[in-house]
Amino acid sequence: MVENTGGIEALLQEDRTFPPPEEFMRNANIKDPNVYEEARKDPEAFWARFASELDWFQPWDQVLDWQPPYAKWFVGGKLNASYNCVDRHVKNGRRNKAAIIWEGEPGDWKVYTYWDLQREVCRFANGLKSLGVQKGDRVTIYLPMVPELPISMLACARIGAAHSVIFGGFSADSIRDRIDDSQSKVMITADGGYRRGGIVPLKQNADESLEGETPVEKVVVVRRTGSADDKMVAGRDVWWHDLVEDQPPTCEPEPMDSEDMLYMLYTSGTTGKPKGIVHTTGGYMTGTYATSKWIFDLKEDDVYWCTADIGWVTGHSYIVYGPLANGATSVMYEGSPDYPDRDRFWAIVEKYGCTICYTAPTAIRTFMRWGEEYPNRHDMSTLRLLGSVGEPINPEAWVWYWQHIGGGRCPVVDTWWQTETGSILIAPLPGITTLKPGSATQPFPGIEAEILDESGNPVGPGGGGYLTIKRPWPSMLRGIYGDPERFVQQYWSRYPDTYFTSDGAKLDEEGYYWLLGRVDDVINVSAHRISTMEVESALVDNSKVAEAACIGRAHEIKGQAIVAFVTIKDQVPTSDGLITELKAHVATKIGPMARPDDIYFAAELPKTRSGKIMRRLLRDVAEGRALGDTTTLADPAVVESLKAQYGDEE
Ligand code: 7RM
């Protein structure tokens, strides 16, 4: 019933267990397994305790108002996210503690104390105000991994504007769609960013995205590479350094309602149109604060490094909001892991004495292939905890990470969550949970997850089905920007009053959760969430293409690779040149991370009699398997000929 996207049987045969190391257990923030039972008895009180560790301008009068599928958390409360991430630490003895340690790819680096951060955030917040940005506005941020990125986010939060961060890998068309949807009047970008020794031309993409009709009136440009000094548009563009130059270093934080929007972030769904996931202030801050503190076991002198890009939700929650709400030191790196050499990450761990490292399985598998030689060049004895996120981690990669990065002494927390969930929902508590490589283990306290079969019955131990979340949680999405129907349809229609994750999962006999990947048309390429429909639309946008169907094929390093089956128009000759052209077309339309790995030409695509493309059979062809059930095909010969053309010999 749940589609198997590869490697799952291997996963479930895993029986090694890793109890928390003695010393780790002794010093852990959370040692008492009763936290699970206490949270189960009174989840609202459980979450309210975390919320009350934040600073509120006005207390809430109701913890939860749940009118399925609409939840309000900490109703009536007022707070400000930037105040909680910055000011309260300045006030409470952390003003000279490093908030952000930033390293650029060329090797330049900079430390922002909480006090520095406060001044920079305030100056930029005042700058935004001077451009006319007001509470309730949306601001698009398209920046590389530079300190101005978290500073912009916190400045927006300070004045009550919602940010919409767009990952620096997206192309002009993708930026344009997101700007049009969010109706941002201001955009923040940079002339470029450094990646693998080259420069990503962000300003050029931004300029292209603003051609013609656009709601954007002002563009703030960070000077990072010096590569667009002659490209400033008079009357529209302003340099970041000019904007902040004369701004005062103080700016009153706007008291925000707990349910006011903090930000929106676009993510891929099953249609070609990305969804603007809406997160609000009080609940999101509570969720990211609590999970950072407990799952990463954050302590005062930790140096915490999440290697994600802030353009994705992992960076929002676990580089910016969660760690900073905890007053932690958060490390941020601009570039690629193999520049100038394949030991760059480990050089960073050694240089700053990182104690926690949170990365993606695709990166771990890449490091594994490069070999132990690279981590072995460095003293990584400061590390005490490792994390994984973004896709299922295969046990082999888990154990390699544990052994060769963690030196066999650091628990590995595999954390399952989504853009929509805002914070981690399934993960170990490292001082309590016995780990099993490949399993995200247990729902976080206060989270009630359930794996359901097709008819909505819990599968129970040993069973597999759809992962759902039964009760609301503070950091859950509040909606899809501008599309309330899609919100209900996408997440709340499959089962009554229950959140549908679109992930398949299995429960083992001990109640551990094993995540199996998406059950919809979303694929996960190197932990980047990509919709097959988006890639298909980009392909049919090319005038030579008649029809396209994309699937994710299991890939050793990336988790999944994109394979496109394309029928081209009559008279167009097929060639290697055309394959290159179509791949480039997708990269131009969406971004380089969506470039298909393989393009197969098909005379026809396998469809049901009602015209639905049978992607399952395309996956069988691409992965060289025997074809599954073909009885519902309109024309079985279509897929047989594809198999003869591209399928591996059995
Ligand atoms: C945080 C993030 C969400 C999708 C989700 C899953 C997959 C994420 C794990 C995982 C297995 C994990 N947000 N996923 N984490 N699968 N184990 N630990 O990635 O919105 O970009 O993607 O990613 O399929 O639905 S996301």
Side-chain angles (χ1 to χ4, degrees):
M1 172 209 39
V2 172
E3 285 190 75
N4 179 332
T5 49
I8 286 124
E9 291 317 315
L11 256 179
L12 291 169
Q13 272 146 30
E14 182 56 47
D15 51 13
R16 281 168 288 186
T17 56
F18 294 76
E22 263 310 312
E23 198 199 325
F24 194 98
M25 191 156 28
R26 225 179 6 257
N27 299 322
N29 283 343
I30 304 304
K31 309 183 181 63
D32 181 2
N34 282 325
V35 291
Y36 286 99
E37 191 45 38
E38 280 162 27
R40 190 162 12 247
K41 275 194 223 137
D42 194 348
E44 290 182 29
F46 172 79
W47 291 116
R49 268 198 303 281
F50 283 110
S52 63
E53 292 175 26
L54 299 173
D55 270 19
W56 295 75
F57 300 133
Q58 184 178 300
W60 59 88
D61 30 54
Q62 191 186 353
V63 174
L64 171 64
D65 174 10
W66 176 225
Q67 317 279 341
Y70 308 103
K72 290 184 181 149
W73 282 89
F74 313 112
V75 185
K78 288 196 191 301
L79 77 168
N80 183 284
S82 116
Y83 185 91
N84 273 284
C85 288
V86 184
D87 302 54
R88 71 187 185 117
H89 308 307
V90 173
K91 289 197 170 121
N92 299 337
R94 293 187 180 120
R95 69 183 187 285
N96 287 322
K97 175 175 177 176
I100 293 173
I101 297 178
W102 171 81
E103 183 162 302
E105 192 181 73
D108 44 341
W109 59 286
K110 207 167 166 181
V111 179
Y112 289 76
T113 65
Y114 273 96
W115 203 0
D116 294 331
L117 189 60
Q118 184 183 45
R119 289 182 286 235
E120 296 305 323
V121 167
C122 288
R123 275 154 34 106
F124 190 63
N126 289 324
L128 286 176
K129 280 186 177 174
S130 77
L131 296 179
V133 178
Q134 293 177 346
K135 181 174 177 175
D137 288 349
R138 277 84 50 219
V139 172
T140 288
I141 304 177
Y142 179 65
L143 282 175
M145 285 286 283
V146 291
E148 288 82 356
L149 173 48
I151 291 169
S152 306
M153 294 161 73
L154 293 166
C156 287
R158 194 165 194 93
I159 63 175
H163 53 76
S164 165
V165 178
I166 301 175
F167 172 59
F170 278 112
S171 67
D173 283 343
S174 298
I175 306 167
R176 182 196 304 273
D177 293 345
R178 287 158 176 75
I179 287 176
D180 286 347
D181 189 76
S182 66
Q183 288 291 302
S184 300
K185 280 183 288 189
V186 168
M187 178 178 191
I188 304 160
T189 188
D191 51 1
Y194 292 103
R195 183 87 199 167
R196 232 176 229 137
I199 291 176
V200 183
L202 293 169
K203 179 68 161 65
Q204 195 184 309
N205 296 342
D207 283 344
E208 220 177 290
S209 79
L210 299 175
E211 277 166 18
E213 274 298 297
T214 179
V216 170
E217 292 159 13
K218 292 284 176 194
V219 179
V220 183
V221 186
V222 174
R223 192 167 188 280
R224 169 71 185 131
T225 56
S227 53
D229 285 1
D230 53 347
K231 300 280 160 42
M232 296 295 276
V233 176
R236 186 195 73 182
D237 296 355
V238 44
W239 286 111
W240 175 292
H241 53 265
D242 290 336
L243 182 68
V244 300
E245 191 173 50
D246 296 320
Q247 298 296 344
T250 56
C251 170
E252 276 305 301
E254 192 68 38
M256 301 298 285
D257 189 276
S258 180
E259 282 300 326
D260 278 340
M261 173 156 67
L262 174 59
Y263 71 80
M264 55 203 288
L265 181 60
Y266 288 89
T267 191
S268 294
T270 44
T271 72
K273 190 178 181 296
K275 310 176 275 197
I277 302 300
V278 171
H279 283 294
T280 59
T281 311
Y284 177 81
M285 289 306 295
T286 302
T288 54
Y289 168 75
T291 49
S292 298
K293 184 172 180 175
W294 281 26
I295 297 165
F296 298 118
D297 190 45
L298 282 177
K299 305 271 174 47
E300 200 53 53
D301 55 359
D302 272 317
V303 176
Y304 162 92
W305 183 25
C306 166
T307 72
D309 192 294
I310 294 177
W312 307 108
V313 75
T314 302
H316 280 60
S317 299
Y318 297 107
I319 296 176
V320 184
Y321 290 109
L324 298 183
N326 278 279
T329 297
S330 186
V331 174
M332 196 182 154
Y333 169 58
E334 176 187 36
S336 92
D338 56 355
Y339 187 86
D341 203 351
R342 292 171 166 182
D343 65 340
R344 184 60 181 273
F345 273 22
W346 321 125
I348 291 174
V349 166
E350 178 172 59
K351 179 170 178 189
Y352 303 107
C354 296
T355 57
I356 302 170
C357 178
Y358 187 32
T359 195
T362 183
I364 299 165
R365 289 190 294 263
T366 304
F367 299 142
M368 210 169 129
R369 184 153 81 177
W370 290 346
E372 302 141 45
E373 171 205 338
Y374 299 100
N376 288 349
R377 284 183 192 172
H378 297 277
D379 176 2
M380 303 206 290
S381 59
T382 50
L383 285 173
R384 65 178 194 91
L385 181 67
L386 302 174
S388 171
V389 60
E391 43 171 332
I393 180 164
N394 46 312
E396 194 194 357
W398 193 105
V399 172
W400 188 89
Y401 193 34
W402 179 82
Q403 185 62 56
H404 296 289
I405 305 303
R409 88 192 157 262
C410 309
V412 174
V413 291
D414 176 9
T415 62
W416 178 90
W417 59 297
Q418 306 176 304
T419 305
E420 290 87 341
T421 69
S423 59
I424 297 166
L425 297 194
I426 303 182
L429 292 179
I432 296 177
T433 314
T434 290
L435 307 173
K436 299 186 186 183
S439 167
T441 73
Q442 304 282 337
F444 191 76
I447 300 298
E448 200 182 326
E450 203 155 50
I451 302 175
L452 301 178
D453 67 14
E454 210 71 56
S455 9
N457 303 309
V459 297
Y466 300 114
L467 178 67
T468 68
I469 313 294
K470 283 190 72 178
R471 292 181 40 86
W473 64 101
S475 64
M476 66 198 276
L477 80 165
R478 299 301 194 270
I480 295 174
Y481 192 76
D483 202 344
E485 276 158 44
R486 193 172 175 195
F487 170 68
V488 175
Q489 204 276 327
Q490 175 69 45
Y491 305 108
W492 304 97
S493 323
R494 186 78 72 113
Y495 303 112
D497 303 347
T498 296
Y499 173 79
F500 183 71
T501 64
S502 298
D503 272 4
K506 274 208 172 194
L507 204 58
D508 72 14
E509 298 296 339
E510 290 177 287
Y512 276 58
Y513 287 70
W514 299 78
L515 277 303
L516 307 178
R518 305 282 302 197
V519 296
D520 56 8
D521 295 321
V522 169
I523 56 180
N524 198 323
V525 183
S526 299
H528 292 167
R529 185 168 154 179
I530 293 166
S531 148
T532 52
M533 307 285 184
E534 270 175 272
V535 180
E536 288 163 11
S537 326
L539 283 166
V540 297
D541 177 82
N542 183 292
S543 60
K544 293 172 186 157
V545 174
E547 202 173 16
C550 293
I551 51 116
R553 152 167 71 73
H555 186 278
E556 209 189 324
I557 301 291
K558 303 179 185 191
Q560 288 187 293
I562 305 176
V563 180
F565 291 80
V566 170
T567 58
I568 49 178
K569 290 183 185 159
D570 291 349
Q571 269 90 48
V572 178
T574 61
S575 66
D576 288 350
L578 182 56
I579 291 177
T580 310
E581 177 187 333
L582 294 180
K583 287 184 181 178
H585 190 78
V586 175
T588 311
K589 293 300 284 185
I590 304 175
M593 69 280 178
R595 182 194 302 268
D597 294 86
D598 297 306
I599 290 188
Y600 296 160
F601 293 117
E604 267 181 88
L605 297 174
K607 290 181 185 167
T608 61
R609 276 171 282 268
S610 58
K612 196 171 184 297
I613 294 171
M614 292 190 71
R615 289 195 176 71
R616 174 172 61 77
L617 295 177
L618 293 177
R619 263 194 302 269
D620 290 342
V621 172
E623 294 181 345
R625 263 194 308 274
L627 295 175
D629 185 2
T630 56
T631 49
T632 53
L633 273 176
D635 179 3
V638 167
V639 71
E640 286 302 340
S641 88
L642 269 177
K643 190 162 166 55
Q645 218 179 325
Y646 293 109
D648 294 337
E649 295 305 318
E650 302 282 328

